[in-house]
């Protein structure tokens, strides 16, 4: 009887040891992403592609590959672009919190601080066809 109890106890501990580490929450998975020293993800959520555009199209606004780590490009290169927000991260370092939107556009994708964007489709999108710098593959 004691052998059977001991065997069940050992098997239970073994099963918990295998199953428990594989169960992670979405935020825990996002914490594995390497951020600049001191920053950590405290919230993360997916969005169904809400349209946003640059608040000030000529202003320098960084499009990050990974928030706070590697700069990808600048939003002022795409003044007529409407960006679809597909994810949101809240990052924290001490008492400071920043919200980054994961955006997907016609020409590029990345992460942008929310202060650079305004909700809604780009009102200047119609001017995109008049742009002399427009490339043939943009059609």
């Amino acid at each position: 009887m004691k052998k059977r109890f001991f065997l069940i106890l050992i098997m239970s501990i073994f099963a918990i040891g295998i199953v428990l580490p594989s169960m992670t929450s979405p935020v825990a998975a996002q914490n594995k992403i390497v951020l600049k020293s001191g920053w950590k993800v405290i919230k993360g959520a997916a969005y169904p592609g809400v349209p946003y555009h640059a608040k000030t199209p000529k202003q320098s606004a960084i499009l990050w590959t990974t928030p706070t780590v590697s700069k990808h490009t600048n939003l002022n290169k795409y003044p007529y672009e409407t960006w679809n927000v597909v994810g949101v991260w809240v990052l924290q370092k001490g008492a400071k919190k920043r919200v980054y939107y994961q955006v997907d556009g016609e020409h590029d994708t990345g992460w942008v601080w929310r202060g650079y964007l305004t909700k809604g489709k780009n009102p200047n999108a119609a001017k995109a066809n008049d742009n002399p710098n427009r490339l043939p593959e943009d059609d």
Side-chain angles (χ1 to χ4, degrees):
M1 182 76 151
K2 288 185 180 182
K3 283 185 179 180
R4 186 174 213 181
F5 175 75
F6 185 69
L7 183 62
I8 290 173
L9 180 66
I10 296 295
M11 294 298 284
S12 299
I13 291 171
F14 179 73
I16 290 172
I18 289 175
V19 173
L20 195 59
S22 65
M23 296 172 45
T24 59
S25 66
V27 173
Q30 291 172 355
N31 282 332
K32 294 179 183 174
I33 294 174
V34 178
L35 297 173
K36 205 177 236 182
S37 178
W39 288 98
K40 64 180 181 176
V41 178
I42 58 172
K43 285 184 189 174
Y47 275 61
V50 180
Y52 277 76
H53 64 279
K55 194 179 277 188
T56 312
K58 298 197 188 247
Q59 177 188 5
S60 177
I62 300 167
L63 184 66
W64 300 85
T65 303
T66 303
T68 74
V69 177
S70 55
K71 297 176 184 177
H72 179 58
T73 188
N74 208 307
L75 287 186
N76 63 12
K77 291 183 180 179
Y78 309 105
Y80 309 111
E81 188 89 31
T82 295
W83 301 91
N84 293 311
V85 174
V86 295
V88 178
W89 281 2
V90 179
L91 305 180
Q92 184 174 9
K93 180 179 183 178
K96 290 189 230 176
K97 288 184 182 176
R98 291 185 185 167
V99 179
Y100 283 87
Y101 292 150
Q102 181 181 10
V103 294
D104 186 22
E106 186 179 335
H107 300 98
D108 221 331
T109 185
W111 292 89
V112 179
W113 175 61
R114 75 170 169 188
Y116 292 140
L117 298 175
T118 301
K119 197 170 191 175
K121 294 190 182 235
N122 194 332
N124 299 322
K127 295 179 185 176
N129 294 331
D130 300 335
N131 183 2
N133 298 326
R134 189 169 175 84
L135 300 173
E137 63 265 11
D138 289 347
D139 293 331

